[in-house]
Amino acid sequence: MSRSAVSIPRAPAPALRDGLELLKPITWFPPIWAFVCGVVSSGEPLLANWLFILAGMALTGPLVCGTSQAVNDWFDRHVDAINEPHRPIPSGRVGGTWGLRVAILWTALSIILAASMGQWVLIATIVGLAAAWAYSAPPFRFKQSGWIGPLVVGFTYEGLSWFTGAAVMAASLPSAEILTVLALYSLGAFGIMTLNDFKAVEGDEQTGLRSLPVTLGVDKAARLACLVMALPQVIVVGLLWKWGLSVSAIIVSALLIAQCFAMPRLLRDPAQYAPWYNAAGIALYVLGMMAAALGLGGYI
């Protein structure tokens, strides 16, 4: 009997803490940070727009990112039973169809809030939600590809969140300079997402998910991730110099050099040091995002 034919028993509503764990608050930081980068890059006054900023942070983090996590956990419940059996759904703490219900409810709430924040925010939100469902759910299930999946996540977590922040502040389409920089940092995030796949190699192999650590091997995937993270930052530095934003260019350069010093340790044993690099190297990456945003916004 196929999995789709197996009936899912009714279950009581999950406890609040289990529902919150399903939404993975720890994952909200990257899109919220990218949103703040967008806010700063717009150059618009911050205090005068504090309510929109708070609403945007709620939209990009707890709502849209939370939706993506609920969707992923629901459609990945069989994979998580191998990789992370303690997660709310495979452990039974969020039983029945509650994982799917939460994903649908959070999708609706995200659209409602985005609609109150302007046309461009609504468009970005709809695109982000569509990508979240397509990433995990059939028939697209982009995460099955080690190439498309990380691109989609990088684009939504970094690019769309940055776009939303700039659009909220300017109430219009962001400038070409902002769009270029956010696109480059979104591309670099492909490497971050690839490193994130290292923790699930066993489950991916067993369930047919073709992540890059599975298809290329851990060593080659790690080298590719480092290259893809570094090259967009090199281009960002060049553009910042071209636009006369020398202070930002110097800061991003220094942070990139620090990442390059950290990468050899990662490459010595990617499986062991990927979590370390995700803490140390990625922190330098996102600080560079903010330095670029500050320059675009005229703060430095």
Side-chain angles (χ1 to χ4, degrees):
M1 183 180 292
S2 67
R3 285 173 180 158
S4 60
V6 176
S7 62
I8 299 175
R10 292 176 177 269
L16 179 60
R17 65 184 180 187
D18 295 327
L20 186 61
E21 186 180 345
L22 180 69
L23 302 175
K24 289 186 183 178
I26 195 172
T27 66
W28 300 349
F29 172 76
I32 289 176
W33 181 268
F35 172 83
V36 174
C37 287
V39 167
V40 171
S41 69
S42 72
E44 299 292 331
L46 302 181
L47 292 179
N49 294 283
W50 66 271
L51 186 58
F52 278 103
I53 295 173
L54 289 179
M57 292 172 69
L59 177 65
T60 54
L63 286 175
V64 175
C65 183
T67 297
S68 73
Q69 298 305 322
V71 171
N72 187 66
D73 269 29
W74 174 255
F75 289 101
D76 256 16
R77 58 195 186 278
H78 308 297
V79 180
D80 287 343
I82 300 171
N83 289 327
E84 299 179 276
H86 60 279
R87 291 292 302 155
I89 294 177
S91 68
R93 289 181 287 121
V94 175
T97 58
W98 277 104
L100 181 60
R101 294 183 197 180
V102 170
I104 294 172
L105 175 61
W106 249 239
T107 297
L109 291 175
S110 299
I111 292 174
I112 291 170
L113 178 57
S116 71
M117 299 177 69
Q119 173 188 359
W120 290 107
V121 175
L122 177 60
I123 291 173
T125 299
I126 291 174
V127 171
L129 291 169
W133 282 88
Y135 176 78
S136 298
F140 299 105
R141 200 157 165 76
F142 291 144
K143 71 176 300 174
Q144 289 183 310
S145 167
W147 299 100
I148 299 175
L151 280 174
V152 169
V153 176
F155 171 70
T156 52
Y157 269 49
E158 307 297 347
L160 275 179
S161 297
W162 189 316
F163 179 97
T164 301
V168 162
M169 300 299 286
S172 64
L173 184 67
S175 68
E177 290 81 5
I178 292 175
L179 292 175
T180 301
V181 171
L182 71 83
L184 287 166
Y185 274 110
S186 297
L187 179 60
F190 173 95
I192 299 174
M193 297 305 114
T194 298
L195 293 181
N196 194 50
D197 286 336
F198 286 3
K199 70 179 185 297
V201 172
E202 180 183 355
D204 290 350
E205 288 178 335
Q206 293 183 32
T207 55
L209 291 180
R210 298 180 60 79
S211 67
L212 291 187
V214 171
T215 58
L216 298 181
V218 170
D219 291 338
K220 288 183 179 178
R223 289 195 291 271
L224 177 64
C226 290
L227 180 64
V228 174
M229 284 186 288
L231 283 180
Q233 294 179 82
V234 172
I235 298 173
V236 167
V237 170
L239 290 174
L240 292 173
W241 275 110
K242 180 181 178 181
W243 297 332
L245 305 175
S246 57
V247 175
S248 286
I250 291 171
I251 295 173
V252 175
S253 297
L255 292 168
L256 175 57
I257 291 170
Q259 291 169 63
C260 291
F261 276 108
M263 286 175 182
R265 183 181 184 187
L266 167 68
L267 296 176
R268 282 201 301 272
D269 190 343
Q272 177 180 351
Y273 290 115
W276 168 80
Y277 192 86
N278 278 333
I282 304 311
L284 298 170
Y285 184 93
V286 299
L287 286 173
M289 289 172 55
M290 183 58 72
L294 289 168
L296 290 167
Y299 293 94
I300 57 176

